[in-house]
Amino acid sequence: MTQAKIYPQHIDLEPVMRVQGTVRLPGSKSISNRTLLLAALSEGTTTIHDLLASDDTNVMLDALRKLGIQWEQKDERTHVVHGAGGKLPVAQADLFMGNAGTAIRPLTAALAVIGGDYTLHGVERMHERPIGDLVDALNAVGASIEYTGNPGYPPLHIRKGHVQPDRIAVRGNVSSQFLTALLMAAPLMAVAHPVTIEVVGELISKPYIEITLNLMRRFGVTVGQDGWASFTVQPGQTYRSPGSIHVEGDASSASYFLAAGAIAGGPVRVEGVGKESIQGDVRFADALELMGATITKGDNWIEAKSNGVLKAIDADFNHIPDAAMTIAVAALYADGTSILRNIASWRVKETDRLAAMATELRKVGATVEEGPDYIRVTPPETLSPATIDTYDDHRMAMCFSLASLDGAARRGNAMRINDPKCVAKTFPDYFETFSGIAQNDLS
Ligand SMILES: O=C(O)C1=C[C@@H](OP(=O)(O)O)[C@@H](O)[C@H](O)C1
Ligand SMILES: C=C(OP(=O)(O)O)C(=O)O
């Protein structure tokens, strides 16, 4: 086991010689926050098993409580949400959204359609993350949303409008969460006639829309689809509780452990996602396979092991923007230059991830070219131990734990990760879990 030393400001990861073991994944962030909102908007009571416990789900749970939605936690793995049938008991509230895109975007649409007097704000970075495409789409069809800070960004003030459009148009090239937000609010708009949501221009991060449609279906609403160009909800459909629902393990969180198995021996098995997953990020395993790792899958698990040195990869990662960050760090262990393409959305997430990734990869010795929507990574002969800054971005912290594998071991020095507690956004126990698969000596 790695002796991970946890300090308030940083964690030192001793060089890891080998990884092996099984990890039970925390719940999917994307499924958890969608499920909470859909359960709140439903008629009936929903029992949710294996909800993610993290900063992002806490802001959603707190917001729902403030809006008058009753919910209780029955035990460590079970929450019960009492739906309010498309209404909100509290008409005035001030809601803190942290840095959770999956909370602020869907809630903005639902609150604007239902109407009331609501303010939504978050951490400093949340106020730099765009929301203009969603606000424009809603205001164009009768919502009343104002910016109280910089135009195009939270904080927002929502008042009662009148939103019952036939058609609503939204741009899809900055974040798919805007379309997700409108889709989840669509049954609340489609009172008397169908509502069609048109995607203007390119749609990024498409697999997240599949998660949205899948969960809406589980809550009784079907959406007609014309490819990725438009989506129609017929009138008279209301959300109905499925009774109980199980949250899959988080496929993006799985990426760090699978990458570890592919880089440093393995096998490493993640439990909670598998062949049947509804999350696009399970396709991360395909990228590892292309890099030469051996991947095996069951219904509820995925396993990765190394097959010698990884091969460099040159691929489009638009479909898995979060897990793609893990490939950028795995590229440190490849046999040549890797190129990750079509990832411009990295710039508007928890930090400017293209800039952050380039800066930190260079610290361990990589040669990096950062383009507007791509990153090119050439590994060094030997990784240098470094102090990694994490920019309040959980994925920067989790990704760079991988830099303690194998290569760093050759120099015998620890890899220091600053501000490790930022992992609480989606995976509060990340470093303890990582220690559980890591071995520091070869005995
Ligand atoms: O809908 C979702 O659950 C998410 C969509 C993606 O965002 P973009 O659509 O902004 O790429 C992803 O990066 C985010 O972590 C979760
Ligand atoms: C982009 C992310 O989060 P959010 O849901 O806040 O967009 C992420 O978790 O990598």
Side-chain angles (χ1 to χ4, degrees):
M1 294 272 284
T2 313
Q3 291 311 304
K5 299 172 205 114
I6 297 181
Y7 301 102
Q9 269 86 37
H10 58 254
I11 185 168
D12 285 338
L13 297 173
E14 298 299 335
V16 176
M17 304 306 285
R18 220 189 133 70
V19 293
Q20 193 165 19
T22 297
V23 168
R24 198 192 142 77
L25 295 167
S28 153
K29 170 197 72 170
S30 296
I31 297 176
S32 293
N33 271 353
R34 282 169 175 77
T35 299
L36 285 171
L37 182 58
L38 294 174
L41 295 174
S42 288
E43 285 156 29
T45 294
T46 305
T47 301
I48 307 174
H49 299 287
D50 290 342
L51 191 78
L52 171 64
S54 76
D55 287 354
D56 275 15
T57 46
N58 283 339
V59 298
M60 180 62 104
L61 282 164
D62 289 348
L64 293 177
R65 177 88 82 210
K66 281 193 166 176
L67 292 166
I69 301 294
Q70 305 292 316
W71 59 263
E72 342 43 91
Q73 181 162 6
K74 290 281 180 208
D75 57 51
E76 214 190 316
R77 295 176 61 179
T78 318
H79 286 73
V80 175
V81 178
H82 304 279
K87 303 200 169 50
L88 290 171
V90 174
Q92 187 169 31
D94 177 57
L95 306 174
F96 175 67
M97 301 277 92
N99 196 5
T102 54
I104 194 169
R105 279 120 179 210
L107 271 171
T108 294
L111 297 180
V113 173
I114 294 171
D117 182 355
Y118 302 114
T119 49
L120 284 80
H121 55 96
V123 300
E124 216 177 303
R125 175 61 181 171
M126 178 61 103
H127 298 173
E128 297 170 353
R129 296 184 65 187
I131 198 161
D133 292 338
L134 176 62
V135 170
D136 288 351
L138 286 160
N139 280 347
V141 295
S144 175
I145 309 172
E146 259 172 37
Y147 302 110
T148 60
N150 291 329
Y153 301 87
L156 303 176
H157 187 182
I158 299 175
R159 291 198 183 77
K160 195 160 179 62
H162 181 77
V163 191
Q164 284 188 11
D166 300 332
R167 304 187 90 73
I168 179 163
V170 66
R171 277 156 42 97
N173 66 340
V174 171
S175 170
S176 70
Q177 292 176 359
F178 305 146
L179 174 58
T180 278
L182 294 175
L183 283 165
M184 290 207 280
L188 309 171
M189 303 184 221
V191 179
H193 40 71
V195 174
T196 297
I197 305 168
E198 288 170 351
V199 180
V200 179
E202 185 209 354
L203 174 64
I204 63 163
S205 304
K206 293 186 183 74
Y208 289 97
I209 300 304
E210 279 164 354
I211 300 178
T212 304
L213 298 176
N214 185 301
L215 290 171
M216 287 174 68
R217 218 165 25 245
R218 307 260 276 273
F219 281 85
V221 171
T222 55
V223 180
Q225 203 175 339
D226 175 12
W228 296 104
S230 75
F231 300 82
T232 300
V233 173
Q234 294 300 329
Q237 300 194 77
T238 50
Y239 288 123
R240 278 173 284 110
S241 165
S244 77
I245 189 159
H246 172 255
V247 176
E248 291 178 12
D250 194 295
S252 322
S253 299
S255 69
Y256 313 107
F257 304 103
L258 295 176
I263 294 165
V268 176
R269 179 179 285 209
V270 292
E271 287 180 349
V273 288
K275 281 184 203 149
E276 304 300 320
S277 172
I278 65 168
Q279 298 168 74
D281 270 11
V282 286
R283 288 170 64 191
F284 172 80
D286 302 345
L288 281 185
E289 220 163 20
L290 278 176
M291 294 177 84
T294 300
I295 302 289
T296 37
K297 288 183 193 166
D299 288 344
N300 196 37
W301 56 268
I302 307 176
E303 194 173 277
K305 66 178 180 196
S306 156
N307 227 349
V309 179
L310 289 177
K311 288 185 281 207
I313 187 168
D314 177 348
D316 184 319
F317 285 98
N318 193 273
H319 61 301
I320 54 167
D322 294 356
M325 290 176 75
T326 316
I327 295 290
V329 179
L332 290 171
Y333 301 94
D335 61 0
T337 299
S338 292
I339 311 178
L340 286 70
R341 301 181 190 273
N342 205 3
I343 49 171
S345 74
W346 277 22
R347 296 209 183 268
V348 292
K349 298 195 189 262
E350 281 76 339
T351 185
D352 176 342
R353 288 174 165 172
L354 272 162
M357 190 53 86
T359 304
E360 302 310 309
L361 286 172
R362 285 182 190 124
K363 283 186 186 168
V364 297
T367 305
V368 184
E369 183 186 318
E370 174 202 338
D373 68 346
Y374 70 88
I375 191 166
R376 186 192 297 258
V377 183
T378 308
E381 289 267 307
T382 309
L383 295 187
S384 309
T387 297
I388 302 297
D389 288 311
T390 49
Y391 310 80
D392 206 13
D393 182 347
H394 55 144
R395 296 201 195 284
M396 286 297 290
M398 296 190 282
C399 278
F400 274 91
S401 66
L402 299 175
S404 66
L405 303 177
D406 191 43
R410 283 180 233 135
R411 287 275 184 96
N413 285 313
M415 195 62 68
R416 174 164 290 189
I417 311 276
N418 280 335
D419 190 27
K421 64 184 181 312
C422 65
V423 297
K425 188 174 193 284
T426 54
F427 200 156
D429 296 335
Y430 177 75
F431 285 104
E432 291 79 352
T433 311
F434 182 75
S435 298
I437 61 159
Q439 292 161 8
N440 296 112
D441 52 53
L442 285 174
S443 55

